[in-house]
Amino acid sequence: MSIPETQWAQVAEQVGGPLVLKQIPVPKPGPDQILVKIRYTGVCHTDLHAMKGHWPLPVKMPLVGGHEGAGVVVAKGELVQDFEIGDHAGLKWLNGSCGECEFCRQSDDPLCANAALSGYTVDGTFQQYAVGKATHASKIPKNVPLDAVAPVLCAGITVYKGLKESGVRPGQTVAIVGAGGGLGSLAQQYAKAMGLRVVGIDGGDEKRVMCEKLGTEAFVDFTKSKDLVADVKAATPDGLGAHAVILLAVSEKPFQQATEYVRSRGTIIAIGLPPDASLKAPVFQTVVRMISIKGSYVGNRQDGVEALDFFARGLIKAPFKVAPLKDLPEIFELMEKGQIAGRYVLELPE
Ligand code: 8ID
Ligand code: ZN
């Protein structure tokens, strides 16, 4: 397989952008890394936060974003045993971790203080060739389509992990806030596959129609509802509220509101990362209704294997639109306005 010296990439030269489509060198894999020829890569709202410098975590600049990259292994370091040239592989947010700290030892590798993050602290997958640590890369079976699987590599794994962290059981109801976005569309499919009942919360008719197809039993439109709390409670089968709330929205308000419609004994899972936002909950209600509030951050390697297995078994079908790499700036604009139902997947030039 011939590997070129240079390649096309979308590069943010400085915090705030803009993005520049340009030729950059093809990276060389280190001893424990694989080089993946990326065929498709999803566009996550995290990529927009990274370029804009929204979070209190320093971002590499210049930056090649992207962390939902699916492609073919074209080179590997001498220590790599689990991948062969020609295998299909996925590069995720967690590009690598130390393997030695307490968190890595206990399979909480996303919590590793020295984790390398694709498209944030190291260059990601908005380029034709990207590297990642082999132990943290995902194996993708050859019969799995690389375009549809790309969003699973962050959005799918993250929502699957969040649903597990919530502790909900089959038959119980989960409220998914931001159901019409990238993570939200996949969350509905995972929830359905896990035997859960879904109340979807988002805005606009395009997202409502999509959510009703994906598994939402009752959709609450936050842009139209006059009493969101009452509407969400009324949408649960017995009117008592959701057993779990999965917060995927990129705005602060739902993070303040969720305690009002979660059921007593219920769990709120914060996943969305709106800039400068706080979680707020009334102490009295939280105590006497025994509400749990937790954060959930991507997934560990086993969560990745499980989430991909749901997909490979045909249980996860979420809509996505394919666009060329050059369209990333326009996709970011749509994303900022909340105008994307589901996920965009970029196709890399051959
Ligand atoms: O590991 C993690 N915790 C993790 C992993 C991946 C992504 C966290 N994230 C974060 C992203 O950084 C981002 O902050 O999850 C958030 C959602 O990512 P996304 O799904 O890629 O974003 P999107 O496609 O833009 O969807 C967001 C949806 O939220 C809706 C929007 O309409 C959109 O459909 N939304 C908003 I903004 N305000 C809402 C509200 N008040 C709302 N939906 C309901 N109520
Ligand atoms: Zn992501």
Side-chain angles (χ1 to χ4, degrees):
M1 214 164 299
S2 80
I3 300 164
E5 288 295 318
T6 58
Q7 56 160 345
W8 287 107
Q10 284 283 9
V11 184
E13 305 276 4
Q14 62 206 9
V15 171
L19 289 169
V20 185
L21 183 62
K22 61 192 270 196
Q23 287 272 324
I24 61 167
V26 170
K28 304 245 182 304
D32 57 359
Q33 288 183 320
I34 53 174
L35 177 69
V36 181
K37 181 178 184 185
I38 304 293
R39 302 304 308 124
Y40 295 93
T41 180
V43 183
C44 179
H45 209 116
T46 291
D47 298 310
L48 183 56
H49 294 305
M51 188 186 78
K52 298 263 177 185
H54 276 167
W55 297 336
L57 176 69
V59 58
K60 166 189 187 291
M61 284 291 157
L63 175 73
V64 177
H67 56 272
E68 292 183 343
V72 183
V73 178
V74 291
K76 62 178 200 167
E78 69 265 23
L79 300 176
V80 176
Q81 293 182 334
D82 290 355
F83 282 97
E84 299 301 334
I85 307 302
D87 283 355
H88 289 184
L91 295 180
K92 307 188 293 285
W93 179 245
L94 210 69
N95 191 276
S97 66
C98 80
E100 284 160 10
C101 68
E102 178 183 328
F103 300 107
C104 286
R105 289 198 303 268
Q106 294 186 336
S107 303
D108 263 335
D109 24 317
L111 308 182
C112 173
N114 294 315
L117 308 174
S118 302
Y120 203 93
T121 64
V122 296
D123 282 342
T125 55
F126 295 157
Q127 55 182 340
Q128 289 174 284
Y129 294 86
V131 290
K133 198 165 169 173
T135 48
H136 288 68
S138 292
K139 296 209 156 170
I140 300 176
K142 286 262 169 82
N143 63 341
V144 164
L146 292 174
D147 51 359
V149 80
V152 174
L153 295 167
C154 172
I157 291 169
T158 299
V159 298
Y160 172 66
K161 173 71 160 186
L163 288 165
K164 286 208 299 189
E165 287 285 318
S166 79
V168 279
R169 297 194 306 272
Q172 293 186 328
T173 300
V174 55
I176 297 174
V177 187
L183 268 64
S185 57
L186 280 147
Q188 292 168 75
Q189 287 279 287
Y190 277 96
K192 197 174 159 195
M194 293 160 85
L196 307 171
R197 306 185 65 170
V198 176
V199 176
I201 305 162
D202 211 312
D205 286 341
E206 188 190 0
K207 290 182 184 171
R208 178 178 54 74
V209 170
M210 183 192 80
C211 289
E212 283 166 359
K213 282 196 194 123
L214 286 173
T216 281
E217 288 181 40
F219 183 82
V220 178
D221 189 325
F222 79 96
T223 64
K224 293 184 186 151
S225 170
K226 300 226 161 29
D227 185 345
L228 188 102
V229 172
D231 288 349
V232 174
K233 284 172 98 170
T236 60
D238 57 6
L240 292 177
H243 293 90
V245 181
I246 308 288
L247 291 167
L248 306 170
V250 192
S251 61
E252 188 174 18
K253 183 144 190 230
F255 288 76
Q256 320 285 16
Q257 229 172 15
T259 51
E260 295 180 56
Y261 54 74
V262 73
R263 177 182 299 249
S264 294
R265 248 298 178 211
T267 303
I268 295 165
I269 300 289
I271 290 178
L273 292 160
D276 304 316
S278 296
L279 275 157
K280 203 168 144 201
V283 171
F284 184 80
Q285 300 294 343
T286 306
V287 171
V288 304
R289 299 212 294 111
M290 296 185 75
I291 295 166
S292 303
I293 304 174
K294 297 167 88 171
S296 186
Y297 181 41
V298 288
N300 67 16
R301 288 174 282 163
Q302 180 61 20
D303 297 316
V305 169
E306 292 171 17
L308 282 163
D309 186 56
F310 272 74
F311 183 85
R313 286 186 289 136
L315 296 168
I316 308 299
K317 293 198 175 74
F320 62 92
K321 296 189 188 89
V322 178
L325 180 66
K326 71 172 177 50
D327 285 4
L328 184 57
E330 291 80 42
I331 294 169
F332 273 172
E333 273 175 37
L334 290 173
M335 183 174 262
E336 202 156 24
K337 292 187 219 143
Q339 286 174 355
I340 301 174
R343 209 35 141 207
Y344 263 100
V345 170
L346 297 173
E347 181 170 14
L348 278 297
E350 255 293 346

